[in-house]
Amino acid sequence: MNADERTDSARTAKQIIARLTSITIVAIVFIGSIIWSIITIPELFAALNSKSDLIVINISAFYCPSMVVLSACALYMLLYELIKKENLPKNKMQIAIYILMIGVAAMVFLPRYATRYYINKVEHNGYSFNAKQSYEWLFYRKLAFTKPINKK
């Protein structure tokens, strides 16, 4: 084996490791987004139908559907190239790009408008925002709403 063949095999091994690492990371994001969606989205619907004095809305749940779409598309693209050992055909690449654009648009707009919808719905039911019981860290936000205590 000469020096050029060793360099090519080392480069190929590094490429395979990089692809497998990418696939692993994207798969973890995909699975995590699905699990987070399964946990948080039912909580959102339950909060809207709650008669409790305190309602907490987890805003980060609105990012999950977008992350599922983005990570599923990226995972498909990575696995296609790894398994078929060729680039994604042009027509499939165009479809993947459209799906990625839809996922990014949903990630930008869905949390903003869904949050407004939920806040309006909760406030319409007589609740008011409670900053002391709310929590925010980067994209993770929990908004707390309380019902005023009726004095008789």
Side-chain angles (χ1 to χ4, degrees), residues 50-55 122 125-128 145-150:
S50 175
K51 303 294 181 201
S52 173
D53 289 339
L54 173 69
I55 291 180
V122 168
N125 289 339
Y127 291 86
S128 57
F145 295 86
T146 54
K147 209 165 210 174
I149 299 172
N150 293 333

Side-chain angles (χ1 to χ4, degrees), residues 12-115:
T12 304
K14 287 180 183 178
Q15 288 173 343
I16 290 172
I17 291 170
R19 284 186 181 152
L20 290 175
T21 303
S22 299
I23 289 170
T24 304
I25 291 169
V26 173
I28 289 169
V29 169
F30 176 68
I31 292 167
S33 297
I34 289 175
I35 291 170
W36 194 255
S37 294
I38 290 170
I39 292 169
T40 58
I41 290 175
E43 287 177 359
L44 288 172
F45 290 113
L48 279 182
N49 298 322
S50 175
K51 303 294 181 201
S52 173
D53 289 339
L54 173 69
I55 291 180
V56 178
I57 299 173
N58 187 346
I59 303 303
S60 63
F62 298 124
Y63 289 96
C64 292
S66 311
M67 286 304 298
V68 169
V69 170
L70 290 171
S71 57
C73 189
L75 195 59
Y76 171 76
M77 293 167 67
L78 289 167
L79 286 172
Y80 185 93
E81 290 183 3
L82 183 71
I83 294 169
K84 296 259 185 166
K85 299 192 184 339
E86 61 185 43
N87 291 334
L88 208 57
K90 188 176 179 180
N91 62 342
K92 290 184 180 183
M93 181 63 81
Q94 287 176 330
I95 293 169
I97 289 171
Y98 290 139
I99 292 170
L100 289 171
M101 289 184 344
I102 290 168
V104 169
M107 185 174 282
V108 170
F109 295 111
L110 180 65
R112 177 169 302 173
Y113 293 108
T115 300

